[in-house]
Amino acid sequence: MSRNTGTQPRLDPDKIVASALRIADAEGLGAITIRRLAQEHGVTPMALYRHFRDKDDLLDALAARLLADVDLPEASAEPWDRQMRGILAACLDAIRPHPTVAGLLPTRVLLSEPGLTLVERTLALLAEAGFPPEQATEVGSQALCSLVTLVTTEPGATESTDPQTRDDAIRAKRSALSALAPQRYPHVVAAADALTLCTDRDTYYELGVEFALAGIRGISAQSRPRR
Amino acid sequence: MSRNTGTQPRLDPDKIVASALRIADAEGLGAITIRRLAQEHGVTPMALYRHFRDKDDLLDALAARLLADVDLPEASAEPWDRQMRGILAACLDAIRPHPTVAGLLPTRVLLSEPGLTLVERTLALLAEAGFPPEQATEVGSQALCSLVTLVTTEPGATESTDPQTRDDAIRAKRSALSALAPQRYPHVVAAADALTLCTDRDTYYELGVEFALAGIRGISAQSRPRR
DNA sequence: ACCTGAACACCGTTCAAGT
DNA sequence: ACCTGAACACCGTTCAAGT
């Protein structure tokens, strides 16, 4: 039987974080505001400070919320690089739906339980693959970060919610590139489409994962005798 | 002979950007403020709006300032991957001194002349290496972005200027990691040092460049017949 | 323990005006 | 063309108080 401590809290930190996530997905990270969150929950701004030390603490919690969505595959007998691909894919699945929030992760993975679990699994796998500890930490970090980059810089990504504004922005960017002097920037002009819009998202992300994986494999091969 | 247009401007946009760069290097990106820049130049905040559309426009100029520092090596007869390494190294040299500003680049490379030149050179090289245009744009972008990640997430990097505060923050982080349950997070605990501090910066960055390079090479090998 | 109210020290930016 | 002055609509956060 749980004893009632008198006044039960009216505010649920998890619901605050959920609101923050919804706001960021719709209007970008910058739209997250203590005052706005307070208003949405029918409470004074200062009420939030009972549950979060400050705004940065709230953003830490938001990052933790994303990391909790990572559905890590079980360790298996597969070769290490295939397992690594599975981990990267799981991370990608978790962050793709929240492109503006993803940028919070790189500096915050070590601050939450799900983040630590992810790092532990990654380091274990890379150790198994033969990486010395320092290389494992750097290579693992770089691979994870490259997924974040993939999401935050996906051609056509914008902070704006309105699809009309978004399309206009993309069109403007593309025509700006197309209008460049073709004798000076031939490849840029030719790639104007690819630089501004992601025609096939799945191919884009698959290639991104392979890039990170190839980076890890390359370092691995390098640090061992060649023949 | 240049005719005087009457009142010559008292404000030099380049000097504003230089101030912004100095402020960011010392106190982080967040310390850049229209009002503060105005004050440093003995002028009303609104005076800046004659030279920059808004704050974002000023940040675009700041990013362009960094990109202008990239000292691109001449094209040569070297193999493409060695030339690519040269480009990456040149970029790294330009952004390492400005870790907090580096994060502005990924979304702004295509907005300035130096950025466009960099992208043009990269795309040309990757085309020469046999990459189809879409792959070249994505792989090139990822490689460049990975350098930014390297700089912005260098273990031990902080926004704070005070070395005392910085050391304290690092120490706190490390002991937090060391205090974790070793049976649950054995690799994290073992790597507590490497995760919080960069013992050898040059090795760190060399490995980072090789990671990006290996990523590119790996994709290249993949998209061609194996034997 | 949990929330309120008022206040402080900031922001970016618009608008109308001066020279 | 270039800068000023006053104002608007915001921020995060401290401090003292209420229940």
Side-chain angles (χ1 to χ4, degrees):
Chain A
M1 49 200 71
S2 67
R3 64 192 174 95
N4 195 330
T5 51
T7 38
Q8 69 266 29
R10 290 160 45 192
L11 234 41
D12 181 353
D14 289 341
K15 290 190 179 169
I16 307 259
V17 171
S19 297
L21 183 56
R22 198 173 0 91
I23 291 174
D25 287 342
E27 302 170 44
L29 253 194
I32 298 181
T33 270
I34 299 275
R35 294 177 117 102
R36 175 161 171 187
L37 287 170
Q39 196 186 354
E40 286 196 5
H41 290 258
V43 105
T44 281
M46 283 315 299
L48 298 202
Y49 284 81
R50 191 62 36 179
H51 306 274
F52 304 95
R53 206 178 344 92
D54 51 20
K55 191 182 179 182
D56 206 58
D57 190 40
L58 195 152
L59 295 182
D60 290 353
L62 185 54
R65 171 68 181 64
L66 272 209
L67 287 164
D69 281 348
V70 176
D71 186 19
L72 242 30
E74 297 289 324
S76 72
E78 280 191 313
W80 71 267
D81 57 338
R82 297 215 46 160
Q83 290 196 65
M84 190 67 211
R85 197 206 313 269
I87 294 181
L88 294 177
C91 292
L92 193 52
D93 286 344
I95 64 178
R96 271 187 69 172
H98 313 287
T100 72
V101 185
L104 293 176
L105 298 193
T107 56
R108 290 172 170 91
V109 213
L110 298 174
L111 302 180
S112 66
E113 190 276 324
L116 286 168
T117 305
L118 168 62
V119 173
E120 177 63 29
R121 270 294 301 276
T122 306
L123 291 182
L125 196 54
L126 293 176
E128 194 182 318
F131 283 93
E134 283 83 15
Q135 280 196 14
T137 61
E138 179 171 352
V139 164
S141 159
Q142 276 300 107
L144 260 9
C145 288
S146 78
L147 300 181
V148 170
T149 302
L150 224 42
V151 171
T152 53
T153 69
E154 181 195 304
T158 333
E159 294 261 309
S160 102
T161 169
D162 183 35
Q164 173 67 20
T165 323
R166 207 192 78 110
D167 282 9
D168 287 356
I170 293 173
R171 224 183 307 276
K173 269 197 166 184
R174 182 170 43 211
S175 58
L177 293 180
S178 305
L180 291 170
Q183 66 274 26
R184 180 147 188 195
Y185 305 106
H187 294 87
V188 173
V189 173
D193 278 3
L195 284 166
T196 47
L197 191 79
C198 197
T199 49
D200 186 343
R201 278 183 168 71
D202 288 334
T203 324
Y204 171 82
Y205 284 107
E206 276 167 27
L207 184 64
V209 170
E210 292 311 316
F211 174 86
L213 213 50
I216 304 180
R217 276 202 214 95
I219 298 293
S220 160
Q222 220 166 280
S223 58
R224 299 176 191 194
R226 277 292 158 83
R227 61 195 73 218
Chain B
M1 49 202 70
S2 67
R3 64 194 172 93
N4 195 329
T5 50
T7 39
Q8 68 267 29
R10 291 159 43 191
L11 235 41
D12 180 352
D14 289 341
K15 291 189 179 169
I16 307 259
V17 172
S19 297
L21 183 56
R22 198 172 1 91
I23 291 174
D25 287 342
E27 302 172 43
L29 253 194
I32 298 181
T33 272
I34 299 276
R35 295 178 117 103
R36 174 163 173 185
L37 287 169
Q39 197 185 354
E40 286 197 6
H41 290 258
V43 106
T44 280
M46 283 314 298
L48 299 202
Y49 286 80
R50 192 59 41 178
H51 306 274
F52 304 95
R53 206 176 346 89
D54 51 20
K55 192 182 178 182
D56 206 58
D57 191 39
L58 195 150
L59 295 181
D60 290 353
L62 185 54
R65 171 68 182 62
L66 273 210
L67 287 164
D69 282 349
V70 176
D71 186 19
L72 242 29
E74 298 289 323
S76 72
E78 279 189 313
W80 70 267
D81 58 339
R82 297 215 45 158
Q83 290 196 65
M84 191 66 212
R85 197 206 313 269
I87 294 180
L88 294 177
C91 293
L92 193 52
D93 286 344
I95 63 179
R96 270 186 68 172
H98 312 287
T100 73
V101 185
L104 292 176
L105 298 192
T107 56
R108 290 173 170 90
V109 212
L110 299 174
L111 301 180
S112 67
E113 191 276 325
L116 286 167
T117 305
L118 168 62
V119 173
E120 177 63 29
R121 271 293 300 276
T122 307
L123 291 181
L125 196 53
L126 293 176
E128 194 182 316
F131 283 93
E134 284 84 15
Q135 280 196 14
T137 61
E138 179 171 351
V139 165
S141 159
Q142 278 300 107
L144 261 9
C145 289
S146 77
L147 301 181
V148 171
T149 301
L150 225 43
V151 172
T152 53
T153 70
E154 181 194 305
T158 333
E159 294 261 309
S160 102
T161 168
D162 183 35
Q164 173 66 20
T165 324
R166 207 192 78 112
D167 282 10
D168 288 355
I170 293 173
R171 223 182 309 276
K173 269 197 167 182
R174 182 171 41 209
S175 58
L177 292 181
S178 305
L180 290 171
Q183 66 273 29
R184 180 148 186 194
Y185 304 107
H187 295 88
V188 173
V189 173
D193 277 4
L195 285 166
T196 47
L197 191 79
C198 198
T199 49
D200 187 343
R201 277 185 168 70
D202 287 333
T203 323
Y204 170 83
Y205 283 108
E206 276 167 28
L207 184 64
V209 170
E210 292 312 315
F211 174 85
L213 213 50
I216 305 180
R217 277 201 214 95
I219 300 293
S220 162
Q222 221 166 281
S223 59
R224 299 176 190 192
R226 278 290 159 83
R227 60 197 73 218

